[in-house]
Amino acid sequence: MKGGSFNRVTGITLSSIQPSSYVIRSPRSAFDESQGANMRDQVVVLRYLKNRLPVATVLAYDSSVENELGSQYVIQGRLAGKPLAEVFPTMTHNDRLHITSMIAKTICQIETIRFPRYGRITAPEAFPRTSGPSGTTSQPEISPLCLGRPLAALEVKQGKSLKDLIFSMIEAWRIKENPNNDEETPGERTGTRHMWVKLREIAQEMDALGMLEGQDGNVLWHWDFAARNILVDKKDENWEITGILDWDDAITVPLVLSRVPPVWLWQFHDNPVGWDGDYDLLPGRALDEREQEIEIHFEEAMARVDQTWFHDAYGVGLWVRRWARFAFNGFRKSEDWKRYHKLVEDWDQYKETNGTTTKVE
C-alpha cells in the first residue's frame, strides 16, 4: 500500500477477528524514545474522534521500539473506499454536487468539535506506551501550540481567543529572533527580525480595525483537509464519505483559522506555476458553468448553517489566515519572503482603498 512522506503503510488480514482488514502504520524512520509521545497523540486523537467522524479504529499500538518491528506502530482498521482525488475526475456532475454536500456536512461536523483553548491535541501523561486489542480510551489534553519546523521548536503561551493567539505567536517569534530585545542599528536589517516587527505592526492594525474581535471559541482543525485525505465509496447509487485520513499533529484553533474554502472542489485541476499549495492564495479564474454551480452549492450549504461563514472564509478571515501562516511556519524558503512582501503590499493597498489610516505606536 502507498504510504506518505513520513509513514509506511502495510495492509494485513487477521482471519481470527471481524472485521479482518487492517493496516499497520509505522514511521519510515523510527522515532527516538523521546518522540514516542507522537504516536500516543495520534492514537488518542483517533479514539476521541471515533464516534464523531469517519476515522479509522485503532486495534493496537506500540509507541516504543521494543517490539518485533523495531519501530513504533499503530494497527488500525482499513477504511472502505478510494481517495476522492482519484474518483472526483470520473464522477458525473450530479455526483460531484452530492459529494460537495457531504463535504459541507463533514466540515460542519468538524466545527462542532470544540475545545476550551487553542493548542496541540495530545495524549495525557498517563496514557499507556502500548496497547492490546482491548485498547484504552482517554480524553485528550490540550498542550501548548508549537510553531516552526520542527514543530517542537517554539511553544506559544496558551489562551482562548484569536487575539490571544496572534499576539502570543508574535511574542514567541520575537523571543526567538531577538532574545535580548536589542535595538537594530538604523539602516541595518538582521535576518528576519525586521519582518517580524512589520508583522506585529500589521497584527496591531488588524486589532485596531476590529478584525480580531468576536473570534472566541476553538475548534478541531484538520490542517490538510483535501481530496487526497478523504475516502469515498458508492453506496445505493450515492457516493458517501467513508473516511478522513491524516490526523497527525491535530490542533485546535479559533474558528476563523480553520475556514479555508475547499477551492479544490471547483478548481480541481488547477496547479498554476508558482503556486505554493495554499488554497487561500490559489489564483482565481473564470469558472465554467458547472464549476460555478459546485462553488455556489457548497457556499449555500455552509451559509445555511452559519451566516458568518462568508465573512470568515473570504472577508476578514482571509487576512488573518495569510498573516497566521507566517506565525505557524516561520520563514524557511524563498517563497516565504515573496509571500511576505506580497502581504505587506496587499495590506497597504487594502488600507488605502478603504481609507484606513490606522497608526500604531
Side-chain angles (χ1 to χ4, degrees), residues 25-275:
R25 294 180 75 237
S26 57
R28 293 192 180 277
S29 297
F31 299 138
D32 59 45
E33 284 299 301
S34 66
Q35 294 175 299
N38 292 356
M39 185 66 71
R40 297 193 293 278
D41 294 346
Q42 295 171 24
V43 170
V44 81
V45 168
L46 288 176
R47 287 185 167 164
Y48 178 73
L49 295 179
K50 182 56 187 170
N51 294 321
R52 295 171 171 87
L53 295 169
V55 299
T57 299
V58 175
L59 179 68
Y61 70 92
D62 191 335
S63 62
S64 74
V65 295
E66 299 166 3
N67 53 59
E68 293 297 322
L69 295 180
S71 173
Q72 295 83 2
Y73 69 82
V74 178
I75 301 177
Q76 59 191 51
R78 185 170 182 175
L79 296 165
K82 297 180 179 179
L84 180 59
E86 296 179 11
V87 177
F88 196 80
T90 66
M91 286 181 170
T92 66
H93 183 60
N94 284 339
D95 284 340
R96 291 182 180 183
L97 290 174
H98 175 75
I99 208 66
T100 295
S101 295
M102 296 298 99
I103 294 290
K105 180 180 179 182
T106 300
I107 291 174
C108 290
Q109 288 174 328
I110 293 174
E111 289 187 356
T112 66
I113 302 174
R114 302 272 175 142
F115 296 86
R117 58 187 179 274
Y118 53 77
R120 292 181 298 126
I121 304 176
T122 59
E125 185 68 28
F127 198 75
R129 294 177 67 203
T130 63
S131 169
S134 59
T136 300
T137 58
S138 179
Q139 187 78 6
E141 292 186 348
I142 306 301
S143 300
L145 196 61
C146 292
L147 308 176
R149 293 289 186 271
L151 283 176
L154 215 57
E155 282 196 354
V156 175
K157 179 181 177 182
Q158 289 192 289
K160 297 180 179 181
S161 70
L162 176 63
K163 184 174 179 177
D164 290 342
L165 175 58
I166 293 295
F167 287 104
S168 293
M169 289 195 291
I170 274 289
E171 179 63 9
W173 282 108
R174 184 198 67 77
I175 292 172
K176 180 179 185 296
E177 293 287 319
N178 187 13
N180 298 321
N181 204 25
D182 298 327
E183 291 188 12
E184 287 187 324
T185 302
E188 178 188 1
R189 292 188 169 185
T190 305
T192 58
R193 189 190 305 177
H194 67 284
M195 300 166 82
W196 289 111
V197 170
K198 181 62 178 180
L199 287 170
R200 180 181 180 84
E201 178 184 312
I202 292 175
Q204 291 172 324
E205 290 174 342
M206 288 194 299
D207 185 36
L209 294 171
M211 291 184 172
L212 308 184
E213 298 301 325
Q215 293 291 347
D216 295 346
N218 295 280
V219 301
L220 176 69
W221 182 30
H222 188 305
W223 56 271
D224 193 18
F225 187 79
R228 60 182 167 272
N229 286 322
I230 299 170
L231 297 181
V232 296
D233 201 13
K234 204 163 191 177
K235 299 178 180 179
D236 299 326
E237 302 304 315
N238 284 320
W239 288 96
E240 303 295 339
I241 294 175
T242 55
I244 304 173
L245 308 178
D246 200 0
W247 288 98
D248 299 358
D249 300 318
I251 63 176
T252 172
V253 295
L255 179 59
V256 66
L257 294 179
S258 73
R259 283 185 158 174
V260 182
V263 181
W264 44 268
L265 278 169
W266 49 90
Q267 290 183 236
F268 187 80
H269 295 289
D270 289 18
N271 188 19
V273 174
W275 177 57

